[in-house]
Amino acid sequence: MSVDLSTTYLGLTLRSPLVVGAAAPLTEDLDQLKAFEDAGAAAVVLHSLFEEQIEQEQLDLHHHAMHGAESYGEALSYLPEPSLFHVGHELYLRHIEQARARVALPIIASLNGTSPGQWVRFARQIEQAGADALELNIYSLPTDPELSSAAIENQVEEIVREVRTEVKLPLAVKLSPFFTNLSAMARRLVEAGADGLVLFNRFYQPDIDIEELEVRPNLLLSTPHDLRLPLRWIALLHGRLQADLAASGGVHRGTDVVRLLMAGASITQVVGSLLRHGPARLASLEEELAVWLQEHDYATVRELVGCMSQQRCPNPSDYERAQYMRAIQSYRPADAAAALGPW
Ligand SMILES: Cc1cc2nc3c(=O)[nH]c(=O)nc-3n(C[C@H](O)[C@H](O)[C@H](O)COP(=O)(O)O)c2cc1C
């Protein structure tokens, strides 16, 4: 029996739920994008273009206009130093165009920012460059004690509204799990125009080098344990919003994909596992998913989506605070060691 792995996400019909998530080492190189396509990727989310890159570029151009005009002959010397920030904008658009020409995969571009502003206008250029959808990553770490939660939430909503007015593209919002009431925030984002939510942004915590006395931003890849946070929130939100849910964080095995689909994800984004094992890992994830479905008599991925969401699972309270007591009382060292298994 063959299994139908197809799913829909942001109005796109995808061959499977396995999507390459945003990370420059995965998506910057066109040959690698092709390798992902050959390995069966259903779509790819490009690495982000950052608000800071766009705004720095605007500053650079302003500087050039002001100072370059004073001395035409030497105008070229006023061009800003080529920097990561300066080249970002142009390169990003060119990358979308080149990727569009190279692969037939749906391409989801990614804009990454924290505050409403001119940078959101860039969404339109992304649309014109040929992206199939846009993922808006709102990655902020508010530390100002004067800033209220309500003000932060209003700002996040405002960014989504602004981007929505710029583009007709399907729009997903990748958000942080750290809201006072994530359900309410999710609903506001959908009302502001998000067609999908990506749960979650992964916050990279800096470490302290105790010998050099330096703060180091060294990045640790996820493990399958990280999947529990998106799993719970996807299960809680599934069926309650007019939006698709995408999982990001902790997808390393075919059974991880199964879990997240059961919770209610339409797609699962994979990054860490592909950084560790390369594009071929996608093909084995697909194989593991298909075999699991066959062995459990599912003919389609769609039958699985949401079957264990909070609304549909036998014990809805399992996803809520009530189970906190049960969880801490049920701890057994052997279970904890076995829970992870090979990955
Ligand atoms: C090296 C690296 C670069 C990343 N760059 C981006 C990025 O540009 N934009 C973004 O939204 N997420 C970025 N992420 C986060 C991933 O998209 C993803 O959310 C996170 O790695 C969790 O998924 P995983 O458990 O499959 O790794 C990056 C992650 C890594 C490891």
Side-chain angles (χ1 to χ4, degrees):
M1 179 182 80
S2 76
V3 190
D4 176 3
L5 296 180
S6 67
T7 183
T8 54
Y9 177 60
L10 306 178
L12 306 166
T13 299
L14 304 182
R15 63 176 297 279
S16 87
L18 292 165
V19 170
V20 178
L26 296 179
T27 62
E28 234 171 17
D29 182 83
L30 293 173
D31 290 339
Q32 175 125 298
L33 287 185
K34 183 74 184 113
F36 284 127
E37 179 168 63
D38 294 343
V44 59
V45 186
L46 296 182
H47 51 287
S48 299
L49 179 69
F50 294 84
E51 170 186 346
E52 292 85 345
Q53 286 174 286
I54 300 167
E55 303 224 309
Q56 179 65 40
E57 184 169 59
Q58 283 165 354
L59 280 177
D60 288 349
L61 288 174
H62 178 72
H63 176 89
H64 177 52
M66 297 299 289
H67 300 277
E70 287 166 13
S71 163
Y72 178 78
E74 294 174 33
L76 280 181
S77 66
Y78 291 110
L79 275 174
E81 288 294 311
S83 68
L84 174 72
F85 285 138
H86 183 69
V87 293
H89 167 151
E90 289 294 329
L91 272 188
Y92 198 80
L93 290 180
R94 212 174 316 138
H95 188 60
I96 296 173
E97 287 163 6
Q98 288 171 343
R100 178 71 298 145
R102 186 76 191 273
V103 294
L105 286 174
I107 294 172
I108 304 173
S110 168
L111 261 181
N112 197 318
T114 62
S115 49
Q118 293 297 318
W119 66 278
V120 300
R121 302 246 168 103
F122 195 71
R124 189 172 297 182
Q125 283 171 266
I126 285 179
E127 181 168 45
Q128 287 161 356
D132 296 288
L134 180 62
E135 187 172 288
L136 176 64
N137 182 336
I138 304 178
Y139 188 124
S140 84
L141 182 67
T143 54
D144 177 356
E146 301 294 325
L147 199 58
S148 70
S149 309
I152 294 165
E153 290 171 9
N154 289 342
Q155 187 162 313
V156 170
E157 183 186 332
E158 183 57 26
I159 299 173
V160 175
R161 279 196 195 284
E162 285 188 2
V163 172
R164 182 72 284 172
T165 59
E166 289 297 322
V167 287
K168 294 199 171 55
L169 278 179
L171 177 64
V173 177
K174 188 173 182 179
L175 72 164
S176 149
F178 306 124
F179 286 98
T180 306
N181 183 351
L182 189 67
S183 301
M185 193 68 229
R187 186 189 293 178
R188 284 176 69 177
L189 296 179
V190 173
E191 283 167 3
D195 304 299
L197 299 179
V198 183
L199 284 68
F200 288 109
N201 246 326
R202 187 148 182 265
F203 285 84
Y204 296 101
Q205 321 294 359
D207 197 5
I208 293 178
D209 182 327
I210 58 175
E211 299 303 331
E212 301 295 329
L213 290 184
E214 280 178 13
V215 177
R216 295 251 159 105
N218 58 336
L219 185 154
L220 297 177
L221 294 181
S222 68
T223 73
H225 282 317
D226 291 293
L227 170 149
R228 297 282 185 98
L229 187 63
L231 182 86
R232 166 182 259 181
W233 277 104
I234 287 169
L236 286 167
L237 293 176
H238 182 261
R240 299 180 200 273
L241 299 169
Q242 295 293 324
D244 296 325
L245 300 171
S248 175
V251 178
H252 293 267
R253 306 164 294 193
T255 47
D256 297 333
V257 179
V258 171
R259 285 181 179 81
L260 289 161
L261 294 172
M262 285 182 164
S266 299
I267 61 150
T268 56
Q269 298 186 0
V270 193
V271 170
S273 183
L274 301 178
L275 288 170
R276 284 177 80 206
H277 302 292
R281 181 71 189 126
L282 263 186
S284 29
L285 283 174
E286 180 175 323
E287 173 71 14
E288 288 168 29
L289 173 64
V291 167
W292 192 95
L293 289 167
Q294 271 174 350
E295 287 178 355
H296 295 79
D297 295 327
Y298 286 92
T300 68
V301 149
R302 285 162 215 248
E303 292 167 51
L304 211 59
V305 173
C307 72
M308 288 297 289
S309 67
Q310 191 193 32
Q311 284 184 332
R312 287 168 58 190
C313 77
N315 294 310
S317 69
D318 282 345
Y319 286 114
E320 294 191 353
R321 144 108 193 159
Q323 293 310 312
Y324 173 58
M325 294 293 289
R326 207 179 81 180
I328 57 177
Q329 283 164 1
S330 71
Y331 173 74
R332 305 274 177 281
D335 297 348
L340 192 55
W343 57 285

